[in-house]
Amino acid sequence: MKRTRSQTKESISVSKSESLTASSSKLPFRAKKIPRLPSSSNNNKNKETLIPEDSTPPPLPTPKPLTSTGEMELALHHLRAADVTLAACIDAFPTPHFHTHRSPFFSLVKSIISQQLSNKASQSIEDRFVALCGGPHSVGPDSVLALSAQQLRGVGISGPKATYLHDLASKYRDGLLSDSSILEMDDETLYKKLTMVKGIGPWSVHMFMIFTLHRPDVLPVGDLVVRRGVERLYGLKPLPQPSQMEKLCEKWKPYRSVGSWYMYRLVEAKGILPLPPPTSLL
């Protein structure tokens, strides 16, 4: 099919315009890529997920010992208000008093020596052990490590207990434990550290925390006497299991050590509360 002259002119003009447009679209410089800015929500998200590498949770505060001024009064006031049943024990028995004249190390040594022994037998062995060390003030990690297992057996300390004493002294020597650090540790950290020592279990740690360090909120759930006291206090049958003790004594927090102390007194009294002393009318 032949093209007309007018059609030929139109095609030529179109091709010229296309070439002009193509040539004009070419820039004389190289285009730069503009970076895409992150949205504010992404910025906030990134800020929230950034965690310093050296961040550590702050240590828990060390609770005030029960021997601190006014602490026992606060404990008794709280327990009376929180547990009406326990309040009868508090009114019937004398106010608890906690005293210790031994260093933490010496107290831990004593707890190892006395395991599964009567008070009389334990005291006899402890006296011979102290004399072997050179006196009460000489009982320390170095003096214990200087004694052989045979020497310790010679004063009545069994082979396993000799191993326990050496392990305790070694942890002091290596810096894993010290009297000062024990006094500064919170309850949870102290429990973990002490149960790492051979021969020291949960019950020993609980007794140490209550009667040596006078920590206010310790519940010895495995102590048979405390469990028996809770049974008699609340009229329970059968004897509460250790797993039940936490719930039963929840209301005593943060003074469960004091509540436990009254359970010892209640069992000693065979569950019969003594009559409270008469109140003077003067």
Side-chain angles (χ1 to χ4, degrees), residues 170-186:
S170 295
K171 284 180 169 54
Y172 263 75
R173 179 199 59 196
D174 298 339
L176 298 175
L177 290 172
S178 67
D179 283 354
S180 59
S181 68
I182 283 175
L183 295 174
E184 295 171 357
M185 289 179 195
D186 61 83

Side-chain angles (χ1 to χ4, degrees), residues 78-205:
H78 169 79
L79 292 172
R80 280 193 177 98
D83 190 343
V84 176
T85 307
L86 181 62
C89 284
I90 295 174
D91 293 335
F93 294 105
T95 300
H97 292 283
F98 295 91
H99 302 287
T100 183
H101 305 289
R102 299 183 183 88
S103 67
F105 179 80
F106 196 164
S107 295
L108 291 169
V109 167
K110 181 179 176 64
S111 71
I112 291 174
I113 291 175
S114 62
Q115 289 174 6
Q116 299 178 335
L117 294 175
S118 66
N119 291 337
K120 183 178 180 180
S122 172
Q123 189 60 56
S124 176
I125 294 173
E126 181 187 332
D127 291 343
R128 294 198 296 269
F129 167 79
V130 170
L132 185 63
C133 289
H137 298 291
S138 299
V139 177
D142 293 337
S143 61
V144 171
L145 289 172
L147 299 173
S148 66
Q150 185 176 0
Q151 287 176 299
L152 292 172
R153 284 195 296 269
V155 296
I157 296 174
S158 67
K161 288 183 180 181
T163 301
Y164 304 158
L165 291 175
H166 283 153
D167 186 60
L168 172 65
S170 295
K171 284 180 169 54
Y172 263 75
R173 179 199 59 196
D174 298 339
L176 298 175
L177 290 172
S178 67
D179 283 354
S180 59
S181 68
I182 283 175
L183 295 174
E184 295 171 357
M185 289 179 195
D186 61 83
D187 291 351
E188 183 179 350
T189 302
L190 181 60
Y191 181 89
K192 291 179 180 178
K193 292 278 189 179
L194 291 182
T195 50
M196 292 171 60
V197 179
K198 293 179 181 178
I200 295 182
W203 183 84
S204 297
V205 176

Side-chain angles (χ1 to χ4, degrees), residues 48-63:
E48 291 174 358
T49 56
L50 290 176
I51 301 175
E53 294 181 358
D54 58 348
S55 64
T56 55
L60 296 173
T62 304

